[in-house]
């Protein structure tokens, strides 16, 4: 690693591709002859309009987003979407949610403020270590949508296949798996992702929404900023957007295109995750916490025999130049987040260290 950089396994804000950071650095003081940094630039300028237009087009190219879907760049991150989604999509006041971990649980809690929420499946019984069978969900006919968190950052589970929504709109939180593999956007009514995990700096969410779901008949009490129509009608510039995040994400979109797109990225992610999971499956000291069929390629939680040993290992990894391996405070243990920008040699170096630690302390 260059510049004295460490291997950063943070779950978010997370590591970014070094070529992208280098390009941002080179443009920091004077973006392409404009005489200013993008952070200083008017979002109403022609220069910035080109930045946001290119970012949207590159994302559309990467994901093959159909023309009848809008791409929105909205401040507030994924957490704001927990409220925006029911505010905008609950026509009948009924929605179905699948509870698979901490983030879907939070989304459920927020949605209950706006309507009748049916938790149609849950994996709470085994501490969210699997994805429940969703082939035949009990979905009311008047349900406005079915909501999933497609990759649970904290518990490290991911959906191997999408649920059978029985014709109802599918809404997916893709925050910690966004752009990690190909995605058939037409399978969803709405996809959203907080960008700080796999795409860019914190403070923004990307929303991909089918146009027919954008309503102009919302409750008049809904704040104007919380309406998807506001953002769609104004090209994500109703107010000053998160200009810096959009710029950085645009760089990442171009980088992903340059390496072969999402198919190439998916192959790299499979290879990286295999290194870590093969080690966990062979280790006597370290154990993965998720059923094999539902293991995330992005977030890999694991534990030792005790919280005390977990803490010792975290301290040892940090001293060795691997940071942010402490598990989320709600679950403990350890967690390696191996997002798109984490190089395979980072995972291999971590595994080599953990093997050595086990040999000396097992």
């Amino acid at each position: 690693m260059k510049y004295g950089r460490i291997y950063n396994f943070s779950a978010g804000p997370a590591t970014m591709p070094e070529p992208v950071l280098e390009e941002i650095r080179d443009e920091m003081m004077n973006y392409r002859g404009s005489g200013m940094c993008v952070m200083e630039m008017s979002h109403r300028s022609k220069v910035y309009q080109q930045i946001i237009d290119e970012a949207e087009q590159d994302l559309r190219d990467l994901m093959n987003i159909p023309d009848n879907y809008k791409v929105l760049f909205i401040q507030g991150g994924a957490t704001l979407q927990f409220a925006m989604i029911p505010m905008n999509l609950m026509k009948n006041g009924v929605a179905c949610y699948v509870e698979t971990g901490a983030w879907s649980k939070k989304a459920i809690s927020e949605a209950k403020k706006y309507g009748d929420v049916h938790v149609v499946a849950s994996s709470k019984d085994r501490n969210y270590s699997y994805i429940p069978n969703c082939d035949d969900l009990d979905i009311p006919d008047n349900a406005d949508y079915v909501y999933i968190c497609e990759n649970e950052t904290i518990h490290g589970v991911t959906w191997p296949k999408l649920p059978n929504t029985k014709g109802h709109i599918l809404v997916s939180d893709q925050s910690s798996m966004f752009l990690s593999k190909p995605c058939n956007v037409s399978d969803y009514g709405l996809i959203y992702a907080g960008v700080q995990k796999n795409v860019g700096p914190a403070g923004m969410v990307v929303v991909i929404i089918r146009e027919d779901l954008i309503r102009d008949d919302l409750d008049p009490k809904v704040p104007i900023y919380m309406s998807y129509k506001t953002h769609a009608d104004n090209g994500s510039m109703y107010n000053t957007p998160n200009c810096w995040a959009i710029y950085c994400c645009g760089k990442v979109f171009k980088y992903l295109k340059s390496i072969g797109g999402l198919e190439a990225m998916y192959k790299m992610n499979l290879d990286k995750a295999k290194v870590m999971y093969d080690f966990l499956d062979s280790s006597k000291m370290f154990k993965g916490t998720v059923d094999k069929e539902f293991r995330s390629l992005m977030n890999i939680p694991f534990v030792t025999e005790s919280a005390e040993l977990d803490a010792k290992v975290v301290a040892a990894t940090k001293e060795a130049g691997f940071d942010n391996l402490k598990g989320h405070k709600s679950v403990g243990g350890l967690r390696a987040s191996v997002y798109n920008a984490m190089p395979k040699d980072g995972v291999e170096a971590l595994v080599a260290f953990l093997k050595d630690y086990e040999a000396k302390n097992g």
Side-chain angles (χ1 to χ4, degrees), residues 109-128:
S109 178
E110 190 78 349
K112 285 180 177 178
K113 298 176 183 177
Y114 303 99
D116 183 14
V117 172
H118 296 242
V119 179
V120 290
S122 173
S123 55
K124 187 178 180 180
D125 61 327
R126 288 204 285 117
N127 195 29
Y128 308 117

Side-chain angles (χ1 to χ4, degrees), residues 341-360:
M342 172 58 65
K344 185 178 180 181
D345 59 16
V347 183
E348 289 172 339
L350 174 62
V351 165
F353 176 83
L354 293 174
K355 281 182 178 178
D356 183 63
Y357 188 93
E358 180 172 358
K360 291 176 178 175

Side-chain angles (χ1 to χ4, degrees), residues 37-298:
C37 175
V38 173
M39 276 191 274
E40 307 168 293
M41 192 177 287
S42 168
H43 62 296
R44 302 297 181 194
S45 66
K46 288 183 179 179
V47 178
Y48 191 76
Q49 188 65 53
Q50 183 179 2
I51 290 173
I52 192 171
D53 288 347
E54 283 189 16
E56 177 178 339
Q57 188 57 55
D58 286 335
L59 180 60
R60 286 185 175 277
D61 293 345
L62 272 174
M63 298 183 72
N64 296 311
I65 298 173
D67 291 341
N68 64 324
Y69 283 75
K70 290 286 189 182
V71 174
L72 311 176
F73 301 113
I74 304 175
Q75 296 180 50
T79 298
L80 186 67
Q81 295 307 305
F82 296 165
M84 263 184 99
I85 286 164
M87 278 182 172
N88 283 265
L89 300 189
M90 271 191 178
K91 268 189 174 181
N92 300 320
V94 180
C96 296
Y97 280 66
V98 181
E99 183 185 39
T100 53
W103 294 112
S104 50
K105 187 177 179 181
K106 286 191 175 186
I108 289 165
S109 178
E110 190 78 349
K112 285 180 177 178
K113 298 176 183 177
Y114 303 99
D116 183 14
V117 172
H118 296 242
V119 179
V120 290
S122 173
S123 55
K124 187 178 180 180
D125 61 327
R126 288 204 285 117
N127 195 29
Y128 308 117
S129 59
Y130 70 103
I131 299 293
N133 187 314
C134 293
D135 290 339
D136 188 20
L137 299 172
D138 184 12
I139 302 173
D141 290 341
N142 64 342
D144 293 305
Y145 59 88
V146 177
Y147 178 105
I148 64 172
C149 178
E150 206 164 333
N151 189 89
E152 289 277 3
T153 319
I154 291 175
H155 289 89
V157 292
T158 200
W159 288 69
K161 67 174 183 175
L162 296 177
N164 177 5
T165 65
K166 299 180 177 177
H168 293 79
I169 294 159
L170 178 62
V171 174
S172 176
D173 175 358
Q174 288 192 0
S175 294
S176 54
M177 55 157 312
F178 192 53
L179 304 183
S180 65
K181 64 178 185 177
C183 172
N184 184 15
V185 175
S186 297
D187 289 340
Y188 307 80
L190 185 151
I191 295 167
Y192 74 93
V195 301
Q196 76 277 10
K197 299 177 182 300
N198 215 20
V199 191
M204 192 181 76
V205 67
V206 174
V207 174
I208 302 168
I209 180 171
R210 210 171 65 213
E211 288 179 348
D212 63 292
L213 301 179
I214 299 173
R215 297 166 54 198
D216 57 7
D217 61 343
L218 300 182
D219 185 321
K221 291 181 181 179
V222 171
I224 193 165
Y225 192 82
M226 299 286 277
S227 165
Y228 290 128
K229 184 171 171 54
T230 298
H231 301 280
D233 287 351
N234 291 278
S236 298
M237 287 203 200
Y238 172 75
N239 66 330
T240 307
N242 190 331
C243 297
W244 183 250
I246 293 167
Y247 162 72
C248 294
C249 290
K251 295 286 188 192
V252 172
F253 301 156
K254 286 187 185 300
Y255 168 76
L256 289 171
K257 289 175 74 173
S258 76
I259 64 170
L262 301 189
E263 292 82 2
M265 193 70 252
Y266 183 42
K267 183 179 184 304
M268 291 183 223
N269 286 330
L270 287 168
D271 290 345
K272 277 188 296 187
K274 186 175 187 302
V275 172
M276 191 71 192
Y277 285 124
D278 283 353
F279 163 69
L280 292 175
D281 289 342
S282 65
S283 172
K284 292 182 179 178
M285 177 179 285
F286 301 101
K287 178 186 175 186
T289 59
V290 175
D291 291 4
K292 287 185 180 181
E293 186 183 350
F294 309 106
R295 286 171 164 175
S296 170
L297 296 181
M298 300 282 98

